């Protein structure tokens, strides 16, 4: 054999080995799990929640920590808002506990723009939600708190104006979560606010766990406070229609709320997570008149028939049958609850058969949301945890105030497994977490997570690797319907599979996610069909949509803008 032949054979062997190794590397990369990394510090988010923790153990001190994702300046890049708490004992801390708005710089960092926005201190803050309540094209902001809820109108120039009194949506009680939804499909979003208990500084209770060590009280030592539903009058004002709409219930202790059309009849329904009292499911009979059907539907209590410590909640279709299922978080040793929608107004408690029961049993859950973190088309679950008793470790060795959070992966049939330990350092953190929201903060095609922690710094978990699969982001703009298209139902056909999502403004606990609708598409490069059913009743359809784009769809006008995702 000549030297030339030997050299050629050697070169061929090198090429073949390189190709094989390259294939192995590609396969390994494909098999690598999606990782979440906390980038809050690198993103220049310097916020720290002030909860005013005191020896008096005022209950709001352990229940606060709201946060949300919204695009306040309409530049197509999600911004971040934090609700600060305050102090019931230190006036200086209370005055300094400002809420914080961070503008997305489009380069992985954020800038605190609060001082120029006009958003001020509003008592002891709890949570927030956002919607364009006056249909002027700019997202407005509602903040809940202890006796001082606020509505801020977005002026469209980076500033906000306090219009609470004019709008008629103030409060003198302890409010928790809020959500916007058009209950009567008149083109104007209405507002639901959960109210908790009749706590005040003057009636603060003294509670002990064992012996004489003081702890934060159980809500049962306080009287219940009814939630409130405000109907949008279309002129910048709202009317309290709680009784007229059929949602007045003096027997709840509301913490979480979500709107969703669970029976597919075109009218938004309301689910409320109540603490230690049965949860509410308000069925919309049409035009914003409701009946409470929680017990009949099977979503009011646990599998043993007892009420649980409902805190955070969300709706989503976990098994691709076109029906919205319901998830709600509870205390440890209760499990969180997953209710599968059976149709015809009925749900089944599938907490244990779905894998959710075993995974959540040791944890005290607050914020929770359905989202497709790995872009494989089905909805997964993220849950943030943390005990309510800050000194619980003095009494129980099996738990702590700080707890790790959960990432539950859906196998596509509604069965879940905990993949948090394999999903990077973001899910190894242990804090007393409260709020949770999702949004694609870097527009790269996968969903990132924002976590608000009570009395501590927040966490911004960047999704690394979810965009190995394809995705679509869709922003809805209503014409006859409300401007944000809140309540619109989207159905995307991908590889013959129909994926259902709804536009939601408020869910989880003290939180709201990005209003843009995210669809994971797996390896499929194009979607066969998209159907958008608007709150007005209009249905728009689109054929053959390319993956990995951000689409703006305007009611009756089609795709009015598009941009490539930054993959």
């Amino acid at each position: 054999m000549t030297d030339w032949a030997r050299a050629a054979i050697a070169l061929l062997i090198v090429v073949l080995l390189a190709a094989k190794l390259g294939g192995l590397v590609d396969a390994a990369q494909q098999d690598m799990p999606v990782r979440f990394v906390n980038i809050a510090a690198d993103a220049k988010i310097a916020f720290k929640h002030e909860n005013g923790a005191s020896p008096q153990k005022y209950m709001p001190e352990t229940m606060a920590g709201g946060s949300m994702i919204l695009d306040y300046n309409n530049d197509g890049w999600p911004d971040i808002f934090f609700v600060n708490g305050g102090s019931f004992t230190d006036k200086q801390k209370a005055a300094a506990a400002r809420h914080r708005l961070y503008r997305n710089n489009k380069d992985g960092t954020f800038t605190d723009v609060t001082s120029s926005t006009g958003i001020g201190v509003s008592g002891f803050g709890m949570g927030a939600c956002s919607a364009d309540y006056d249909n002027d094209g700019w997202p407005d902001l509602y903040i809940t708190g202890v006796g001082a809820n606020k509505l801020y109108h977005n002026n469209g120039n980076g500033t906000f104006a306090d219009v609470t009194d004019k709008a008629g949506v103030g409060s003198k009680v302890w409010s928790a979560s809020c959500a916007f939804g058009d209950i009567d499909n008149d083109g104007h979003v209405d507002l639901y606010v959960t109210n908790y208990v009749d706590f005040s500084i003057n009636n603060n209770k003294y509670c002990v766990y064992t012996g004489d060590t003081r702890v934060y009280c159980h809500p049962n030592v306080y009287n219940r406070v009814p939630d409130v539903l405000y109907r949008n009058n279309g002129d910048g004002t709202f009317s309290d229609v709680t009784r007229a709409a059929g949602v007045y219930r003096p027997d709840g202790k509301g913490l979480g709320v979500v709107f969703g059309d669970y029976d597919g009849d075109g009218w938004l329904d309301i689910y409320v997570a109540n603490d230690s009292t049965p949860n509410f499911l308000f069925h919309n009979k049409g035009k914003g008149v409701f009946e409470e059907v929680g017990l009949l539907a099977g979503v009011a209590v646990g599998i043993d028939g007892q009420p649980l410590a409902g805190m955070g909640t969300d709706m989503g279709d976990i098994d691709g049958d076109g029906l919205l299922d319901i998830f709600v978080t509870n205390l440890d040793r209760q499990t969180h609850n997953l209710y599968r929608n059976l149709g015809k107004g009925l749900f089944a408690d599938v907490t244990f058969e779905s894998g959710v029961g075993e995974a959540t049993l040791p944890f005290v859950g607050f914020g929770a949301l359905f989202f497709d973190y790995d872009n494989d088309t089905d909805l997964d679950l993220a849950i943030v945890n943390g005990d309510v008793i800050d000194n619980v470790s003095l009494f129980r060795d099996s738990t702590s105030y700080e707890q790790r959070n959960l990432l539950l992966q859906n196998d596509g049939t509604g069965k879940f497994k905990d993949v948090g330990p394999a999903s990077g350092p973001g899910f190894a953190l242990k804090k007393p977490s409260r709020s949770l929201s999702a949004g694609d903060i870097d527009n790269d095609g996968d969903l990132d997570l924002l976590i608000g922690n009570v009395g501590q710094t927040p966490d911004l978990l960047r999704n690394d690797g979810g965009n190995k699969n394809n995705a679509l982001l869709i922003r809805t703009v209503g014409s006859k319907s409300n401007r944000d298209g809140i309540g619109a139902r989207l159905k995307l056909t991908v590889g013959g599979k129909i994926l259902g999502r709804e536009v939601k403004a408020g869910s989880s606990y003290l939180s709201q996610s990005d209003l843009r609708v995210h669809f994971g598409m797996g390896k499929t490069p194009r979607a066969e069909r998209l159907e958008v059913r608007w709150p007005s009743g209009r249905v728009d359809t689109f054929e053959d949509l390319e993956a990995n784009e951000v689409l703006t769809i305007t009611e009756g006008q089609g795709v009015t803008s598009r941009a490539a995702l930054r993959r």
Side-chain angles (χ1 to χ4, degrees), residues 359-376:
T360 63
L361 189 61
F363 300 100
V364 176
F366 278 90
L369 56 85
F370 290 112
F371 77 133
D372 184 1
Y373 81 94
D374 50 4
N375 285 358
D376 67 351

Side-chain angles (χ1 to χ4, degrees), residues 473-489:
L473 273 177
I474 298 174
R475 180 192 176 205
T476 54
V477 178
S479 299
K480 185 177 180 182
S481 301
N482 67 84
R483 175 79 181 194
D484 293 318
I486 294 167
R489 175 166 284 195

Side-chain angles (χ1 to χ4, degrees), residues 368-553:
L369 56 85
F370 290 112
F371 77 133
D372 184 1
Y373 81 94
D374 50 4
N375 285 358
D376 67 351
T377 73
D378 51 59
L379 289 177
D380 310 295
L381 256 174
I383 307 160
V384 296
N385 304 302
D387 209 294
V388 292
I389 301 175
D390 61 344
N391 51 1
V392 67
S393 59
L394 297 176
F395 318 108
R396 292 169 53 196
D397 295 334
S398 60
T399 190
S400 63
Y401 188 51
E402 300 84 4
Q403 298 180 0
R404 75 174 179 92
N405 300 322
L406 296 172
L407 179 62
L408 304 185
Q409 185 183 49
N410 190 344
D411 69 357
T413 68
K415 301 291 180 64
F416 295 85
K417 65 177 180 179
D418 180 10
V419 296
S423 299
F427 276 91
L429 298 168
K430 288 186 178 182
K431 294 183 179 180
S433 298
R434 297 296 181 257
S435 57
L436 173 67
S437 52
D440 189 355
I441 61 167
D442 44 11
N443 284 331
D444 69 346
D446 50 31
L447 290 176
D448 312 293
L449 297 174
L450 177 67
I451 301 170
N453 302 303
V454 61
Q456 297 193 20
T457 56
D459 303 312
L460 180 59
L461 305 188
R462 186 185 64 210
N463 184 326
D464 290 343
N467 61 5
K468 288 184 295 187
N469 286 328
N470 298 323
L472 268 179
L473 273 177
I474 298 174
R475 180 192 176 205
T476 54
V477 178
S479 299
K480 185 177 180 182
S481 301
N482 67 84
R483 175 79 181 194
D484 293 318
I486 294 167
R489 175 166 284 195
L490 284 68
K491 294 181 180 179
L492 187 74
T493 304
V494 178
K497 183 178 181 179
I498 299 177
L499 314 180
R501 307 285 188 268
E502 286 194 358
V503 183
K504 291 180 291 189
S507 60
S508 186
Y509 175 73
L510 310 180
S511 312
Q512 179 173 311
S513 295
D514 185 7
L515 284 179
R516 297 181 300 180
V517 176
H518 170 267
F519 287 99
M521 295 176 57
K523 299 301 180 186
T524 308
R526 309 186 74 86
E528 296 99 287
R529 189 172 189 269
L530 172 67
E531 175 185 297
V532 182
R533 189 190 74 183
W534 299 90
S536 67
R538 179 186 176 90
V539 177
D540 290 332
T541 58
F542 308 87
E543 308 289 337
D544 191 28
L545 296 174
E546 186 175 352
N548 303 320
E549 289 192 323
V550 183
L551 304 179
T552 298
I553 294 178

